[in-house]
Amino acid sequence: MADETVLLGHGSGGTMMKRIIDDVFAATYGSEELAQGNDAALLPAPAPGERLAFSTDTFVVTPHFFPGGNIGRLAVCGTVNDVATSGAKVKYLSVAMVLEEGFPMDDLRRICETIREVAAEAGVHVVTGDTKVVNRGHGDGIYINTAGVGLVPAGVELSGANCKPGDAILLSGTLGDHGICIMSQRENLSFNAPIESDAAPLNGLIADVLAAAPDTRCFRDPTRGGLASTLNELGAQSGVDMVVSEDDVPVKDVVRGACDMLGYDVFQVANEGKMVCIVPAEQAEAALAAMKANKYGADAAIIGCVEEANENRGPKVFLETGFGTRRILDMLVGEQLPRIC
């Protein structure tokens, strides 16, 4: 059925978001580059064989400050990671802000200082920006848009369309930390152990994996829609099944308990500092070792494999449960937790 109005679910990262992208954005101003379906578009570059990677993202998270970061950290990490998934060396960022009249200047300075710190850690330069101020009551404090540019070296060909049966699926760390952190802060919930956002710049981790596993098929960060939506996207791009072992997926006990208590599926909870990586099986251990050697990949694991899809039903994502059964992992439908990033 056609959607008559924009709903929160259209920003979920799941099927409703795919529908608005396909039926509205791509249908009206779609281009060959946009149709690639990856997190960063690949564009021609001056040097032979090189290409530009370019991506943009907008951040509306509430609350603006949370354990492990703030909206400024998300703004840098989110765009750096999207550009880096193409194999690019991320070089430049733009930072544009929509501020609400009355937003505390001290909070703005804290956010800007975080942007400076994370950009320095990622080795990128903020080179342009824009500022708009809206009337009091019309902007929820602050929204940030960032765009990033990087250079993809000659010979690097990463895409969600590259996955092949027999490949291994790697995850760089524990699931659900960011989503549960934001939810707990928003709803004033406390748990036996602290939960912090996992927001992190992962361009260094990606470079380490590419050096160890040069035939890597693709990277994708499981943000809105979580791991389930990400694997469904990759499976659809490549026309393959993705099979994940539940026992091999790292999840912190406190996050798992929170999901069980609140009725969330941890495989659909957002992450902001994790990376999914698909590599040939023979390079999986080398890729895993490279992840674990990086400070943001200490909990990395090989969580599954790619299988040939049944041509009669199309690509699916399956979870092998601890009971020895398989269940389908669907994309998130609607909005599990709005304004997560």
Side-chain angles (χ1 to χ4, degrees), residues 179-190:
I180 297 303
C181 169
I182 296 300
M183 181 277 301
S184 64
Q185 292 296 302
R186 195 177 293 173
E187 304 300 332
N188 293 316
L189 300 177
S190 60

Side-chain angles (χ1 to χ4, degrees), residues 20-314:
I20 196 173
I21 290 172
D22 291 344
D23 296 348
V24 180
F25 305 144
T28 52
Y29 57 73
S31 63
E32 181 180 345
E33 292 81 9
L34 191 62
Q36 292 171 358
N38 296 312
D39 281 339
L42 299 182
L43 309 171
E50 288 187 342
R51 287 145 297 156
L52 289 175
F54 174 60
S55 188
T56 187
D57 208 344
T58 303
F59 298 85
V60 299
V61 67
T62 181
H64 304 127
F65 297 87
F66 43 83
N70 58 50
I71 191 173
R73 184 173 181 85
L74 283 183
V76 176
C77 293
T79 295
V80 164
N81 293 346
D82 279 351
V83 176
T85 59
S86 67
K89 297 179 180 178
V90 193
K91 305 290 286 183
Y92 306 111
L93 287 179
S94 70
V95 177
M97 298 196 181
V98 178
L99 304 172
E100 181 185 2
E101 181 185 16
F103 188 72
M105 197 64 72
D106 285 347
D107 286 354
L108 181 59
R109 290 192 179 95
R110 287 175 60 194
I111 290 167
C112 290
E113 178 63 22
T114 298
I115 289 173
R116 183 197 65 79
E117 292 172 353
V118 183
E121 179 185 355
V124 300
H125 298 279
V126 177
V127 296
T128 189
D130 182 54
T131 305
K132 297 292 188 296
V133 178
V134 298
N135 294 349
R136 191 183 301 266
H138 289 262
D140 199 21
I142 180 173
Y143 301 143
I144 302 178
N145 173 274
T146 49
V149 176
L151 284 174
V152 182
V156 175
E157 299 287 347
L158 301 176
S159 173
N162 291 343
C163 307
K164 296 176 172 57
D167 288 347
I169 305 170
L170 281 72
L171 178 65
S172 66
T174 52
L175 280 187
D177 298 351
H178 177 74
I180 297 303
C181 169
I182 296 300
M183 181 277 301
S184 64
Q185 292 296 302
R186 195 177 293 173
E187 304 300 332
N188 293 316
L189 300 177
S190 60
F191 301 97
N192 291 334
I195 302 176
E196 292 190 355
S197 168
D198 60 356
L202 300 178
N203 51 327
L205 181 145
I206 287 174
D208 293 344
V209 172
L210 284 175
D215 296 318
T216 295
R217 312 296 192 200
C218 65
F219 296 94
R220 191 67 58 89
D221 49 342
T223 52
R224 288 169 297 167
L227 179 65
S229 292
T230 294
L231 292 180
N232 272 280
E233 290 173 357
L234 296 177
Q237 281 185 269
S238 292
V240 295
D241 286 349
M242 301 282 178
V243 181
V244 174
S245 170
E246 185 175 28
D247 291 340
D248 292 332
V249 177
V251 181
K252 292 176 181 175
D253 289 340
V254 64
V255 171
R256 191 186 305 276
C259 288
D260 289 344
M261 179 181 70
L262 297 167
Y264 290 159
D265 184 342
V266 71
F267 294 98
Q268 295 181 335
V269 174
N271 314 270
E272 290 292 340
K274 301 301 187 300
M275 193 63 59
V276 175
C277 176
I278 311 294
V279 303
E282 63 272 16
Q283 297 181 16
E285 291 296 337
L288 179 64
M291 279 188 177
K292 285 184 169 291
N294 186 283
K295 68 178 182 178
Y296 293 124
D299 296 316
I302 299 171
I303 63 170
C305 64
V306 179
E307 293 185 355
E308 189 170 352
N310 185 320
E311 61 181 16
N312 293 322
R313 57 155 168 76

